[in-house]
Amino acid sequence: MDGEDERLRRWRLVLGGAAEGTLEGLDARMDAALAALYDEQDGRGAGLGASAPRVARWLGDIRECFPSSVVRIMQRDAIERLDLTRLLLEPETLEAVEPDVHLVGTLLSLGRLMPERARESARAVVRTVVRELEERLTRRTLAAVGGALDRSARTRRPRRAADIDWDRTIRANLGNYLPERKTVVPSRLVGYARGRRAVRKEVVLAVDQSGSMAASVVYAGVFAAVLASMRSLKTSFVAFDTAVADLTDRLHDPVEVLFGTQLGGGTDVNRAVAYCQTLITRPADTIFLLVSDLYEGGPREEMLRRIAALTAAGVQVIVLLALSDEGAPQYDHDNAAALAAMGVPAFACTPDAFPGLMAAAIERRSYDQGRISAPGRDL
């Protein structure tokens, strides 16, 4: 195919059936799949109708014609533009989809509406996505958080030279500076107490399960399960809307955690914070992660007072306005500003940045809207 023919082919695919020229073979299938989704339904576009088998065939076609990244975009557009949510309750539709985080969020929002014959197919989709996320995120999270836990445990008798915290050791021995030799004599060492098995930190992760937070719920559930696998952490996971569900006992299986959520309700952040207060037994050693867009349906002032009380007790409170790859989130700017005024950071965090955020929180290093500072600097 020469350059002119290729140019015409591309324009034909972009403009759809209204353009001149014909397509053959794979190009014709691609054009038909695009027309079914994006052509205006005035007689020119094929549409997908309300038939589960027809949707399943279309899903199979786009998986053969387009790369996975494009398939996921087209699936998302089909659900939104053509209102295919109901057809996701059909097993044949679920078996044909390309699993991704957004699809999992849609399935979780269907929740109890899903008939029994579709539940196992839905679980298979969720299990596939969770497995992919675990492969992508687990090793990095364990390495970052495990290293931070080791470094945060101090000892005056480090076992090896590699365990000496030189920054803290020098600061602790500045009184022993010898001007004539221009050196500090370290009479007292400060190091990392590695290898201890006791619980060193408590993590309470509360996630808003209103419909706009779907992707954040998926990522939060996976991260909570990873953190719960670490002996040095005591991890609690709470999902909330206008009610509160403690899913800590399901953290051995992130798929069970996600199916324990119920996306789409209202929001009562105050009630969730009140419940999480009852879980905290060691305030100075606790990190409270509130994942929410802060659109509060409960008593706002009481919610702010509770969070202020937690910080006054020594709890590290971090608000994540989103935990996802979806870009800038929508959130309640007034509540975020009120929290910032009391010293509580509120920002969006991508899944790839979350391990570094946790490491910074454990070591009490500073972080500013996801930008983590250099090791060794306190908040």
Side-chain angles (χ1 to χ4, degrees), residues 173-343:
N173 290 277
L174 288 176
N176 300 331
Y177 179 68
L178 301 179
E180 65 277 11
R181 294 184 178 273
K182 296 182 178 180
T183 189
V184 172
V185 178
S187 62
R188 180 164 65 90
L189 297 177
V190 180
Y192 308 124
R194 303 180 188 273
R196 292 168 52 190
R197 294 294 183 182
V199 172
R200 301 179 202 169
K201 292 285 185 180
E202 296 185 5
V203 177
V204 178
L205 203 164
V207 60
D208 180 346
Q209 59 181 355
S210 56
S212 60
M213 301 293 292
S216 297
V217 170
V218 176
Y219 283 113
V222 173
F223 276 121
V226 174
L227 296 175
S229 70
M230 305 182 71
R231 294 182 180 180
S232 297
L233 292 178
K234 178 186 176 184
T235 303
S236 301
F237 183 76
V238 173
F240 67 92
D241 41 37
T242 53
V244 177
D246 190 333
L247 303 176
T248 304
D249 61 349
R250 303 190 185 195
L251 286 177
H252 62 281
D253 184 351
V255 175
E256 289 299 318
V257 171
L258 295 180
F259 272 97
T261 63
Q262 186 176 358
L263 289 170
T267 308
D268 191 337
V269 180
N270 176 63
R271 176 173 292 185
V273 175
Y275 178 79
C276 290
Q277 283 180 302
T278 68
L279 302 177
I280 296 171
T281 60
R282 300 161 53 189
D285 294 320
T286 298
I287 300 168
F288 175 43
L289 291 160
L290 175 62
V291 184
S292 174
D293 55 18
L294 297 178
Y295 288 110
E296 172 65 308
R300 174 181 184 269
E301 295 302 325
E302 187 174 341
M303 178 267 289
L304 294 175
R305 283 196 298 271
R306 288 186 186 279
I307 292 179
L310 286 172
T311 59
V315 176
Q316 285 189 79
V317 181
I318 303 170
V319 176
L320 300 183
L321 303 170
L323 179 56
S324 71
D325 292 312
E326 295 182 326
Q330 293 186 341
Y331 61 95
D332 189 305
H333 290 258
D334 291 337
N335 283 335
L339 291 172
M342 66 175 69

Side-chain angles (χ1 to χ4, degrees), residues 136-155:
R136 168 185 159 194
L137 302 171
T138 297
R139 183 179 301 177
R140 189 185 316 160
T141 303
L142 293 177
V145 175
L149 286 167
D150 282 341
R151 290 188 296 271
S152 67
R154 307 295 175 182
T155 179

Side-chain angles (χ1 to χ4, degrees), residues 7-266:
R7 186 175 69 85
L8 292 174
R9 167 185 171 272
R10 288 175 177 269
W11 273 113
R12 171 63 180 78
L13 285 169
V14 169
L15 297 175
E20 294 182 1
T22 58
L23 297 170
E24 299 178 353
L26 180 61
D27 288 345
R29 292 179 63 195
M30 293 172 63
D31 184 59
L34 291 168
L37 176 56
Y38 296 112
D39 277 8
E40 294 296 331
Q41 303 304 306
D42 57 3
R44 291 189 298 108
L48 296 179
S51 165
R54 186 171 185 178
V55 172
R57 285 195 300 272
W58 179 81
L59 289 166
D61 284 344
I62 64 173
R63 292 178 73 174
E64 292 182 21
C65 297
F66 301 96
S68 294
S69 57
V70 176
V71 170
R72 289 167 181 162
I73 293 172
M74 293 179 70
Q75 285 181 172
R76 199 182 319 166
D77 288 348
I79 292 171
E80 294 176 358
R81 292 168 62 94
L82 304 178
D83 192 23
L84 298 185
T85 301
R86 184 179 62 81
L87 292 182
L88 289 177
L89 302 177
E90 301 290 340
E92 55 264 46
T93 305
L94 286 173
E95 291 167 3
V97 294
E98 181 78 17
D100 71 341
V101 169
H102 302 282
L103 179 62
V104 169
T106 301
L107 292 176
L108 295 179
S109 68
L110 294 174
R112 296 180 177 84
L113 298 175
M114 193 172 295
E116 190 62 36
R117 63 195 183 95
R119 286 184 180 275
E120 193 52 44
S121 297
R123 282 183 177 274
V125 171
V126 175
R127 194 173 294 113
T128 297
V129 173
V130 166
R131 188 182 304 115
E132 292 175 355
L133 292 178
E134 287 180 318
E135 290 175 357
R136 168 185 159 194
L137 302 171
T138 297
R139 183 179 301 177
R140 189 185 316 160
T141 303
L142 293 177
V145 175
L149 286 167
D150 282 341
R151 290 188 296 271
S152 67
R154 307 295 175 182
T155 179
R156 295 186 179 182
R157 294 182 179 181
R159 298 178 181 179
R160 305 172 299 170
D163 291 341
I164 298 174
D165 183 340
W166 288 109
D167 285 346
R168 290 178 179 268
T169 295
I170 291 171
R171 288 201 297 269
N173 290 277
L174 288 176
N176 300 331
Y177 179 68
L178 301 179
E180 65 277 11
R181 294 184 178 273
K182 296 182 178 180
T183 189
V184 172
V185 178
S187 62
R188 180 164 65 90
L189 297 177
V190 180
Y192 308 124
R194 303 180 188 273
R196 292 168 52 190
R197 294 294 183 182
V199 172
R200 301 179 202 169
K201 292 285 185 180
E202 296 185 5
V203 177
V204 178
L205 203 164
V207 60
D208 180 346
Q209 59 181 355
S210 56
S212 60
M213 301 293 292
S216 297
V217 170
V218 176
Y219 283 113
V222 173
F223 276 121
V226 174
L227 296 175
S229 70
M230 305 182 71
R231 294 182 180 180
S232 297
L233 292 178
K234 178 186 176 184
T235 303
S236 301
F237 183 76
V238 173
F240 67 92
D241 41 37
T242 53
V244 177
D246 190 333
L247 303 176
T248 304
D249 61 349
R250 303 190 185 195
L251 286 177
H252 62 281
D253 184 351
V255 175
E256 289 299 318
V257 171
L258 295 180
F259 272 97
T261 63
Q262 186 176 358
L263 289 170

Side-chain angles (χ1 to χ4, degrees), residues 361-376:
I362 289 169
E363 295 185 76
R364 289 187 174 272
R365 290 188 275 116
S366 61
Y367 37 83
D368 179 18
Q369 296 184 358
R371 296 187 292 275
I372 310 303
S373 69

